[in-house]
Amino acid sequence: MLHVPPLVSTLTIGLVLAFSLGLLAHRIKLPPLVGYLVAGIVIGFAPAVGADQNIANQLSEVGVILLLFGVGLHFSVQDLLSVRAIAIPGAIAQGLVATPLGMVVGWALGWNPAAGFIFGLALSVASTVVLLRMLQERRLLETERGKITIGWLIVQDIAMVLALVLLPAITGLFQGEAPPDAIEMTRQVAEVVGKLLVFTLAMLVVGRKLIPALLHYVAHTGSRELFRLAVLSIALGFAYLAAELFGVSLALGAFFAGMVLSESQLSQQAATESLPLRDAFAVLFFVSVGMLFHPAIMVDAPFAVLATVAIIIVAKSIVAFAVVRLFGQSSSTGLVISASLAQIGEFSFILASLGLALGVLPTEGRDLILAGSIITILLNPLLFAALDRYFAWREHARTDEGGPEVEAEEAEAKDEATPTREPIPVTALTDHVVLIGHGRVGRFVSKALLEKGVPVYIIEDDPDDAADLNAHGVHALHGNAADPEVVKSANLGEARCLLVAIPDAFEGGQVVEQARTINPKLRIVARAHSEAEIDHLAKHGADFVVMGEHEIGKAMLGELNGQERPISDAVTGMANAGPIRGR
């Protein structure tokens, strides 16, 4: 009988089950990551299915690398330096509070102080994957509060790199061993810090020139396959070099690689090419966490589980909020950052594994860390939902109060009502054409319409392109048009026509369906690449679907018969014409 390799079975079972339960979770109005975690728990209970825990952990590392690489593409050195004043003391303060509290829990459970120290340290560091997914979903990644949170996370990662090196010596002190040689400890710390500095300088000096130059060279070959391979090679290759040569974590190496590439004009294209693999492997992170979970800990030590969760969600959040307010940031910023950091993840597991390897941390400690991780990851979306309701209530209360108010009080009340999702203003344009996508087709269409004086509102997922359009006086928004909030910003109720110029018919169908719900009488024109896509878009409400191959054929026949029609006239006519294809 043919045996399926463990790598293939782990990848297949993990993704299929995560998809199935993620879809079910979405169906019952829960975040998909709940389904991913449950998928891991199910696999963990059924080892006979053939999924390998070690392989799942390694595959999830790829997701973490690509995720941090993508974040780096939207970050700059200036962004990182601008938040250092709050991120460094914030990360340190959380560690100084969470670690002693963890030691108290360990003492109550009868552990030695070294075990409590490792346990508390593991509770102090947030999960990279969870934090970034929440910021991305709520469009907070490129905001001030998002930058502060990312800077905070980077400081925690660097601190954990140092902790992993010093942990054997520190735990030895707790266990009554002879103090390590001060000169040797100093040498070890200096070596780690020196490697970090050398790595940072190498990335900023050499990497800043090498990485963009390599990507630009590959782009000029015209091969999309090579370009995609180059992006993955840069992300994974520099992460590997960072870990092997400089002792830096894989995630941190990938982040720096993305950050030095962010200054290149190809950064957005690089992000697009890495997106599908990033999302798929990031899902495996949640599956691997679920596989590690031992539910028996919930019955054996329920109060210890509650104490663990309280340290992660309550104690860490209070510290984060206090630090943010101490540095003059708003209350809403403090609440959002506190909620973002109120969970634990991958570095916590690494610390737990090291504690077990050193013979210091009991298995009960590892199980508590895993239980705390899963529970706080599940609660994190609920924390943000609660904040949304709180901010909405504050805004409603402020509106009802009315009357003259002191300017400072009004500003504070307004700040308290800031949602955890950045609000998108609705355009004031009327009788306008809404254009989704500004690639090759979108550029051609917008140029023709603008030359004829037709008001255009463009939604484009390339931030640089959207910024350039706005700089030239064109109304444009950076975002994914499939997001309901983004679509609402286009003021479709007052629009003349909607042109969906993106090549992805699945996403286009979502846009068309939402637009048709907002304005049943709106003229909608979409783009397709096959007969099946034409049917799909028409089914969702498109009045007219353009298939490139058909239009090329018509143009050729028109040329043959001497009846060609200028394309620019056709585009304008299409925006103003009556129904061509009924729904």
PDB file of all heavy atoms in Angstrom, residues 184-204:
ATOM      1  N   GLU A 184      31.923  35.952  31.829  1.00  0.00           N
ATOM      2  CA  GLU A 184      31.341  35.094  30.803  1.00  0.00           C
ATOM      3  C   GLU A 184      29.942  35.564  30.418  1.00  0.00           C
ATOM      4  O   GLU A 184      29.583  35.589  29.233  1.00  0.00           O
ATOM      5  CB  GLU A 184      31.283  33.654  31.319  1.00  0.00           C
ATOM      6  CG  GLU A 184      30.667  32.649  30.345  1.00  0.00           C
ATOM      7  CD  GLU A 184      31.421  32.543  29.036  1.00  0.00           C
ATOM      8  OE1 GLU A 184      32.617  32.905  28.987  1.00  0.00           O
ATOM      9  OE2 GLU A 184      30.803  32.109  28.036  1.00  0.00           O
ATOM     10  N   MET A 185      29.138  35.959  31.431  1.00  0.00           N
ATOM     11  CA  MET A 185      27.795  36.461  31.131  1.00  0.00           C
ATOM     12  C   MET A 185      27.862  37.750  30.323  1.00  0.00           C
ATOM     13  O   MET A 185      27.102  37.956  29.381  1.00  0.00           O
ATOM     14  CB  MET A 185      27.008  36.701  32.420  1.00  0.00           C
ATOM     15  CG  MET A 185      26.459  35.433  33.058  1.00  0.00           C
ATOM     16  SD  MET A 185      25.213  35.804  34.317  1.00  0.00           S
ATOM     17  CE  MET A 185      23.876  36.439  33.296  1.00  0.00           C
ATOM     18  N   THR A 186      28.782  38.619  30.700  1.00  0.00           N
ATOM     19  CA  THR A 186      28.955  39.884  29.968  1.00  0.00           C
ATOM     20  C   THR A 186      29.351  39.604  28.517  1.00  0.00           C
ATOM     21  O   THR A 186      28.875  40.262  27.580  1.00  0.00           O
ATOM     22  CB  THR A 186      30.021  40.756  30.643  1.00  0.00           C
ATOM     23  OG1 THR A 186      29.655  40.980  32.007  1.00  0.00           O
ATOM     24  CG2 THR A 186      30.165  42.091  29.925  1.00  0.00           C
ATOM     25  N   ARG A 187      30.244  38.606  28.374  1.00  0.00           N
ATOM     26  CA  ARG A 187      30.669  38.247  27.014  1.00  0.00           C
ATOM     27  C   ARG A 187      29.502  37.732  26.186  1.00  0.00           C
ATOM     28  O   ARG A 187      29.351  38.084  25.015  1.00  0.00           O
ATOM     29  CB  ARG A 187      31.767  37.175  27.086  1.00  0.00           C
ATOM     30  CG  ARG A 187      32.406  36.849  25.730  1.00  0.00           C
ATOM     31  CD  ARG A 187      33.198  35.557  25.793  1.00  0.00           C
ATOM     32  NE  ARG A 187      32.340  34.404  26.032  1.00  0.00           N
ATOM     33  CZ  ARG A 187      31.594  33.842  25.078  1.00  0.00           C
ATOM     34  NH1 ARG A 187      31.581  34.337  23.851  1.00  0.00           N
ATOM     35  NH2 ARG A 187      30.843  32.794  25.363  1.00  0.00           N
ATOM     36  N   GLN A 188      28.643  36.899  26.804  1.00  0.00           N
ATOM     37  CA  GLN A 188      27.493  36.355  26.086  1.00  0.00           C
ATOM     38  C   GLN A 188      26.518  37.450  25.668  1.00  0.00           C
ATOM     39  O   GLN A 188      26.037  37.474  24.532  1.00  0.00           O
ATOM     40  CB  GLN A 188      26.775  35.320  26.954  1.00  0.00           C
ATOM     41  CG  GLN A 188      27.553  34.025  27.144  1.00  0.00           C
ATOM     42  CD  GLN A 188      26.781  33.034  28.009  1.00  0.00           C
ATOM     43  OE1 GLN A 188      25.744  33.352  28.555  1.00  0.00           O
ATOM     44  NE2 GLN A 188      27.311  31.828  28.126  1.00  0.00           N
ATOM     45  N   VAL A 189      26.238  38.369  26.608  1.00  0.00           N
ATOM     46  CA  VAL A 189      25.330  39.475  26.289  1.00  0.00           C
ATOM     47  C   VAL A 189      25.930  40.352  25.198  1.00  0.00           C
ATOM     48  O   VAL A 189      25.241  40.754  24.243  1.00  0.00           O
ATOM     49  CB  VAL A 189      25.035  40.318  27.553  1.00  0.00           C
ATOM     50  CG1 VAL A 189      24.241  41.568  27.176  1.00  0.00           C
ATOM     51  CG2 VAL A 189      24.271  39.494  28.568  1.00  0.00           C
ATOM     52  N   ALA A 190      27.217  40.660  25.325  1.00  0.00           N
ATOM     53  CA  ALA A 190      27.881  41.498  24.323  1.00  0.00           C
ATOM     54  C   ALA A 190      27.858  40.825  22.948  1.00  0.00           C
ATOM     55  O   ALA A 190      27.687  41.490  21.925  1.00  0.00           O
ATOM     56  CB  ALA A 190      29.319  41.782  24.754  1.00  0.00           C
ATOM     57  N   GLU A 191      28.016  39.499  22.946  1.00  0.00           N
ATOM     58  CA  GLU A 191      27.999  38.768  21.678  1.00  0.00           C
ATOM     59  C   GLU A 191      26.625  38.851  21.006  1.00  0.00           C
ATOM     60  O   GLU A 191      26.525  39.102  19.804  1.00  0.00           O
ATOM     61  CB  GLU A 191      28.369  37.302  21.923  1.00  0.00           C
ATOM     62  CG  GLU A 191      28.435  36.470  20.643  1.00  0.00           C
ATOM     63  CD  GLU A 191      28.810  35.033  20.909  1.00  0.00           C
ATOM     64  OE1 GLU A 191      29.228  34.716  22.058  1.00  0.00           O
ATOM     65  OE2 GLU A 191      28.681  34.208  19.986  1.00  0.00           O
ATOM     66  N   VAL A 192      25.574  38.671  21.810  1.00  0.00           N
ATOM     67  CA  VAL A 192      24.218  38.739  21.252  1.00  0.00           C
ATOM     68  C   VAL A 192      23.906  40.139  20.749  1.00  0.00           C
ATOM     69  O   VAL A 192      23.415  40.322  19.632  1.00  0.00           O
ATOM     70  CB  VAL A 192      23.173  38.314  22.314  1.00  0.00           C
ATOM     71  CG1 VAL A 192      21.755  38.542  21.791  1.00  0.00           C
ATOM     72  CG2 VAL A 192      23.362  36.856  22.679  1.00  0.00           C
ATOM     73  N   VAL A 193      24.189  41.146  21.586  1.00  0.00           N
ATOM     74  CA  VAL A 193      23.928  42.536  21.198  1.00  0.00           C
ATOM     75  C   VAL A 193      24.768  42.914  19.972  1.00  0.00           C
ATOM     76  O   VAL A 193      24.289  43.588  19.052  1.00  0.00           O
ATOM     77  CB  VAL A 193      24.226  43.490  22.375  1.00  0.00           C
ATOM     78  CG1 VAL A 193      24.115  44.944  21.922  1.00  0.00           C
ATOM     79  CG2 VAL A 193      23.274  43.218  23.531  1.00  0.00           C
ATOM     80  N   GLY A 194      26.029  42.463  19.960  1.00  0.00           N
ATOM     81  CA  GLY A 194      26.896  42.749  18.824  1.00  0.00           C
ATOM     82  C   GLY A 194      26.359  42.157  17.540  1.00  0.00           C
ATOM     83  O   GLY A 194      26.358  42.812  16.488  1.00  0.00           O
ATOM     84  N   LYS A 195      25.880  40.909  17.605  1.00  0.00           N
ATOM     85  CA  LYS A 195      25.300  40.272  16.418  1.00  0.00           C
ATOM     86  C   LYS A 195      24.063  41.015  15.940  1.00  0.00           C
ATOM     87  O   LYS A 195      23.849  41.194  14.730  1.00  0.00           O
ATOM     88  CB  LYS A 195      24.958  38.815  16.717  1.00  0.00           C
ATOM     89  CG  LYS A 195      26.165  37.881  16.772  1.00  0.00           C
ATOM     90  CD  LYS A 195      25.727  36.446  16.997  1.00  0.00           C
ATOM     91  CE  LYS A 195      26.912  35.501  16.954  1.00  0.00           C
ATOM     92  NZ  LYS A 195      26.495  34.086  17.157  1.00  0.00           N
ATOM     93  N   LEU A 196      23.230  41.463  16.899  1.00  0.00           N
ATOM     94  CA  LEU A 196      22.035  42.224  16.526  1.00  0.00           C
ATOM     95  C   LEU A 196      22.407  43.522  15.821  1.00  0.00           C
ATOM     96  O   LEU A 196      21.799  43.901  14.817  1.00  0.00           O
ATOM     97  CB  LEU A 196      21.200  42.530  17.772  1.00  0.00           C
ATOM     98  CG  LEU A 196      20.327  41.397  18.320  1.00  0.00           C
ATOM     99  CD1 LEU A 196      19.769  41.769  19.685  1.00  0.00           C
ATOM    100  CD2 LEU A 196      19.190  41.077  17.356  1.00  0.00           C
ATOM    101  N   LEU A 197      23.424  44.206  16.350  1.00  0.00           N
ATOM    102  CA  LEU A 197      23.858  45.471  15.749  1.00  0.00           C
ATOM    103  C   LEU A 197      24.453  45.246  14.359  1.00  0.00           C
ATOM    104  O   LEU A 197      24.158  45.994  13.420  1.00  0.00           O
ATOM    105  CB  LEU A 197      24.882  46.161  16.663  1.00  0.00           C
ATOM    106  CG  LEU A 197      24.325  46.725  17.974  1.00  0.00           C
ATOM    107  CD1 LEU A 197      25.466  47.263  18.842  1.00  0.00           C
ATOM    108  CD2 LEU A 197      23.313  47.822  17.701  1.00  0.00           C
ATOM    109  N   VAL A 198      25.276  44.200  14.250  1.00  0.00           N
ATOM    110  CA  VAL A 198      25.885  43.900  12.950  1.00  0.00           C
ATOM    111  C   VAL A 198      24.801  43.538  11.932  1.00  0.00           C
ATOM    112  O   VAL A 198      24.826  43.986  10.774  1.00  0.00           O
ATOM    113  CB  VAL A 198      26.912  42.752  13.072  1.00  0.00           C
ATOM    114  CG1 VAL A 198      27.378  42.301  11.696  1.00  0.00           C
ATOM    115  CG2 VAL A 198      28.103  43.200  13.902  1.00  0.00           C
ATOM    116  N   PHE A 199      23.837  42.733  12.364  1.00  0.00           N
ATOM    117  CA  PHE A 199      22.740  42.353  11.470  1.00  0.00           C
ATOM    118  C   PHE A 199      21.952  43.582  11.028  1.00  0.00           C
ATOM    119  O   PHE A 199      21.643  43.751   9.840  1.00  0.00           O
ATOM    120  CB  PHE A 199      21.810  41.368  12.172  1.00  0.00           C
ATOM    121  CG  PHE A 199      20.526  41.125  11.441  1.00  0.00           C
ATOM    122  CD1 PHE A 199      20.511  40.397  10.266  1.00  0.00           C
ATOM    123  CD2 PHE A 199      19.327  41.636  11.924  1.00  0.00           C
ATOM    124  CE1 PHE A 199      19.324  40.182   9.576  1.00  0.00           C
ATOM    125  CE2 PHE A 199      18.148  41.426  11.246  1.00  0.00           C
ATOM    126  CZ  PHE A 199      18.138  40.699  10.068  1.00  0.00           C
ATOM    127  N   THR A 200      21.639  44.458  11.984  1.00  0.00           N
ATOM    128  CA  THR A 200      20.870  45.665  11.654  1.00  0.00           C
ATOM    129  C   THR A 200      21.633  46.547  10.676  1.00  0.00           C
ATOM    130  O   THR A 200      21.072  47.034   9.681  1.00  0.00           O
ATOM    131  CB  THR A 200      20.555  46.456  12.940  1.00  0.00           C
ATOM    132  OG1 THR A 200      19.854  45.611  13.855  1.00  0.00           O
ATOM    133  CG2 THR A 200      19.697  47.671  12.622  1.00  0.00           C
ATOM    134  N   LEU A 201      22.913  46.756  10.938  1.00  0.00           N
ATOM    135  CA  LEU A 201      23.731  47.586  10.038  1.00  0.00           C
ATOM    136  C   LEU A 201      23.854  46.947   8.658  1.00  0.00           C
ATOM    137  O   LEU A 201      23.791  47.631   7.630  1.00  0.00           O
ATOM    138  CB  LEU A 201      25.117  47.805  10.649  1.00  0.00           C
ATOM    139  CG  LEU A 201      25.185  48.729  11.866  1.00  0.00           C
ATOM    140  CD1 LEU A 201      26.582  48.734  12.461  1.00  0.00           C
ATOM    141  CD2 LEU A 201      24.771  50.140  11.469  1.00  0.00           C
ATOM    142  N   ALA A 202      24.025  45.617   8.637  1.00  0.00           N
ATOM    143  CA  ALA A 202      24.135  44.919   7.358  1.00  0.00           C
ATOM    144  C   ALA A 202      22.866  45.072   6.538  1.00  0.00           C
ATOM    145  O   ALA A 202      22.917  45.292   5.315  1.00  0.00           O
ATOM    146  CB  ALA A 202      24.430  43.434   7.599  1.00  0.00           C
ATOM    147  N   MET A 203      21.710  44.974   7.184  1.00  0.00           N
ATOM    148  CA  MET A 203      20.442  45.111   6.465  1.00  0.00           C
ATOM    149  C   MET A 203      20.227  46.538   5.985  1.00  0.00           C
ATOM    150  O   MET A 203      19.721  46.776   4.880  1.00  0.00           O
ATOM    151  CB  MET A 203      19.279  44.681   7.361  1.00  0.00           C
ATOM    152  CG  MET A 203      19.271  43.193   7.688  1.00  0.00           C
ATOM    153  SD  MET A 203      19.151  42.149   6.215  1.00  0.00           S
ATOM    154  CE  MET A 203      17.523  42.529   5.644  1.00  0.00           C
ATOM    155  N   LEU A 204      20.600  47.517   6.819  1.00  0.00           N
ATOM    156  CA  LEU A 204      20.362  48.917   6.468  1.00  0.00           C
ATOM    157  C   LEU A 204      21.355  49.435   5.437  1.00  0.00           C
ATOM    158  O   LEU A 204      21.028  50.324   4.642  1.00  0.00           O
ATOM    159  CB  LEU A 204      20.420  49.794   7.725  1.00  0.00           C
ATOM    160  CG  LEU A 204      19.320  49.544   8.768  1.00  0.00           C
ATOM    161  CD1 LEU A 204      19.513  50.469   9.959  1.00  0.00           C
ATOM    162  CD2 LEU A 204      17.945  49.744   8.156  1.00  0.00           C
TER     163      LEU A 204
END
